[in-house]
């Protein structure tokens, strides 16, 4: 066993002495050491209950003959970090999470791992670590939050965190008063779990299940449901089976499973952040995946489910309709059904016994919202390396749009202009120097998009940025524009009044400028000056690559 490096031999007497101090017994020397990589945090609603998940996992590990040791990684709540400098740290935390999981696993010579993530960057960070370490491993998320309820017994409306962000725009427009806003904010997030819609956290937990690294139910069983604890116990038992059979993450995460994860993502119309994260996981796994391949998958994958923010359903509704297994059953014609999973079953075996879609929350391929997926990449002279849009959340009248650019060099500038009412119908709001290097950290632009939606402008105004968007974003919001402004991408050449053309059905994002004019304008720009010159963000900006690569670190 790998753990023999810390528990066997005369020279390991000091190591055993330290293990005795944390409760290990000499009688357990033949038992494998299992690392429980937890991301518990008291500041993150999706993580505050993860100690309970960890206890259930440890019970499962012990019943399978292992000795569990719980260790931790950091976690950032994107909602709390939103719209202030703290959001610069969100995406960069993904790399720290991967590195910290690697460090604790290697330093303590664990034989196998159970990862307990829940929210946005923690899931992909841990998946990157799992691939890098390639020890037998399984994932068990904390599960989604229930939707909040607002109103009286006669008329109760489901709400969530996105309702609150959009309400800020309604207050600014005079469509809602302060008392109504306060009542909403008190009920929108009724308890622990990852935010209730198909936002980034739930998108990634569902993708983890589709990829085969989590047991069926990992992505959709609500955090407060007793089945979540049962699933955690099962994950603890199953990691012992993976260890016994020497099944490792690189046996599961490969070209076929990455394809399956993207296909399920397309069917759900998930967060655009999933593109960044799945590409980063593919990169770590040595799987060749370029942005144009996104559209190839999208072309063959029907959009089967519209959850918040694209529709009115929440993840709890998806779970009641059969969850990810049912989604995959409806997608069986396009998936790699022989893909292995951490459950010990193939994908075909998992979906064989599950029910079909209900035709409401989960539609059939024949009755899909669209024959193509809910996410796609755009290319053109404004985004030579690509940009990403959640087309499943774009109003029909905005699928093809042409408008004058309103250019801002930060999220704060754009937010202030929107709040002042300076954006008019038909405009294309451009927010640049918010990319991985330029931000640094590629902040989410949820506040500007939510303001536009709350003001009723999401069907009239587009937003284009080299930053990214929250999974809660809806409207004609085009992000990840690459190359970014800080790397002298064409977006840096834009000026107020330039005509921007958006053609989502034909995957186009262009500006009415010649290549010569773009080159001349870029040549006139001063050298990019980093916004942050100290600490982790300085080091991050020096290492990070383009969003078109998944914003990974250069090797």
């Amino acid at each position: 066993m790998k753990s023999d490096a810390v528990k066997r031999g005369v020279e390991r007497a000091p190591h055993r002495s330290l293990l005795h101090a944390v409760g290990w017994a000499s009688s357990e020397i033949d038992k494998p050491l299992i690392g429980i990589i937890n991301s518990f945090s008291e500041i993150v609603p999706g993580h505050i209950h993860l100690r309970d998940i960890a206890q259930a996992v440890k019970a499962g590990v012990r019943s399978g003959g292992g000795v569990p040791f719980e260790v931790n990684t950091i976690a950032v709540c994107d909602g709390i970090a939103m719209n202030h400098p703290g959001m610069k740290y969100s995406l960069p935390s993904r790399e720290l999470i991967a590195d910290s999981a690697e460090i604790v696993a290697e330093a303590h010579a664990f034989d196998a791992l159970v990862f307990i993530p829940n929210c946005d960057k923690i899931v992909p960070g841990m998946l990157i670590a799992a691939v890098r370490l390639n020890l037998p491993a399984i994932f068990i998320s904390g599960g989604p939050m229930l939707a909040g309820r607002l109103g009286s017994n006669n008329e109760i409306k489901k709400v969530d965190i996105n309702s609150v962000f959009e309400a800020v725009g309604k207050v600014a427009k005079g469509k809602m008063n302060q008392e109504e806003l306060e009542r909403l904010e008190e009920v929108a997030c009724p308890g622990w779990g990852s935010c209730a819609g198909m936002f980034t956290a739930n998108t990634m937990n569902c993708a983890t299940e589709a990829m085969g690294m989590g047991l069926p139910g990992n992505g959709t069983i609500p955090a407060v449901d007793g089945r979540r604890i049962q699933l955690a116990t099962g994950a603890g038992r199953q990691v012992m089976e993976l260890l016994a059979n020497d099944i490792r993450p690189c046996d599961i995460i490969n070209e076929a499973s990455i394809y399956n994860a993207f296909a399920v993502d397309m069917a759900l119309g998930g967060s655009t952040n999933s593109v960044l994260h799945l590409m980063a996981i593919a990169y770590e796994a040595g799987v060749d995946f370029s942005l144009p391949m996104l559209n190839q998958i999208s072309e063959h994958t029907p959009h089967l489910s519209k959850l918040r923010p694209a529709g009115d359903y929440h993840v709890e509704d998806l779970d009641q309709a059969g969850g990810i297994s049912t989604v995959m059953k409806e997608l069986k014609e396009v998936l790699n059904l022989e893909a292995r999973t951490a459950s010990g079953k193939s994908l075909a075996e998992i979906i064989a016994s599950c029910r079909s879609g209900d035709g409401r929350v989960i539609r059939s391929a024949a009755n899909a919202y669209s024959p193509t997926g809910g996410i796609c990449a755009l290319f053109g002279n404004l985004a030579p390396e690509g940009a990403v849009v959640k087309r499943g959340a774009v109003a029909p009248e905005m699928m093809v749009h042409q408008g004058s650019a309103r250019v801002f060099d930060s999220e704060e500038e754009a937010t202030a202009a929107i709040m002042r009412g300076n954006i008019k119908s038909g405009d294309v709001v451009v927010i640049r120097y918010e990319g991985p290097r330029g931000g640094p950290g590629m902040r989410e632009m949820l506040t500007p998009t939510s303001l536009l939606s709350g003001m009723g402008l999401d069907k009239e105004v587009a937003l284009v940025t080299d930053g990214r968007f929250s999974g809660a974003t809806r409207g004609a919001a085009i992000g990840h524009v690459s190359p970014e402004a800080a790397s002298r991408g064409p977006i840096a050449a834009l000026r107020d009044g330039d005509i921007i053309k958006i053609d989502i059905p034909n995957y186009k994002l262009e500006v009415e400028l010649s290549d010569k004019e773009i080159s001349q304008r870029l040549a006139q720009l001063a050298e990019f000056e980093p916004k942050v010159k100290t600490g982790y963000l300085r080091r991050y900006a020096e290492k990070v690559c383009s969003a078109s690569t998944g914003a990974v670190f250069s090797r």
Side-chain angles (χ1 to χ4, degrees), residues 7-44:
K7 65 186 185 186
R8 286 192 185 276
V10 173
E11 70 278 19
R12 299 294 184 256
H15 305 64
R16 291 192 294 274
S17 182
L18 292 166
L19 287 171
H20 287 316
V22 295
W24 179 80
S26 297
S27 60
E28 296 176 316
I29 196 165
D30 292 326
K31 295 182 178 182
L33 305 187
I34 312 300
I36 314 300
I37 315 292
N38 198 353
S39 52
F40 163 78
S41 170
E42 289 188 342
I43 191 63
V44 185

Side-chain angles (χ1 to χ4, degrees), residues 94-171:
R94 185 185 72 186
E95 317 312 314
L96 285 178
I97 290 160
D99 291 350
S100 63
E102 175 191 357
I103 287 168
V104 293
E106 291 286 14
H108 302 104
F110 292 138
D111 296 297
L113 304 168
V114 180
F115 289 92
I116 309 178
N118 211 24
C119 291
D120 299 31
K121 309 311 161 301
I122 298 88
V123 186
M126 288 185 171
L127 281 165
I128 290 169
V131 171
R132 186 183 301 166
L133 290 161
N134 203 31
L135 294 169
I138 196 168
F139 279 63
I140 170 65
S141 77
M145 184 186 293
L146 296 177
R149 269 68 174 174
L150 181 67
S152 65
N153 291 332
N154 296 327
E155 187 178 355
I156 296 178
K157 177 184 178 183
K158 282 186 177 182
V159 293
D160 51 52
I161 189 62
N162 194 43
S163 307
V164 185
F165 273 99
E166 292 187 357
V168 176
K170 293 178 181 179
V171 172

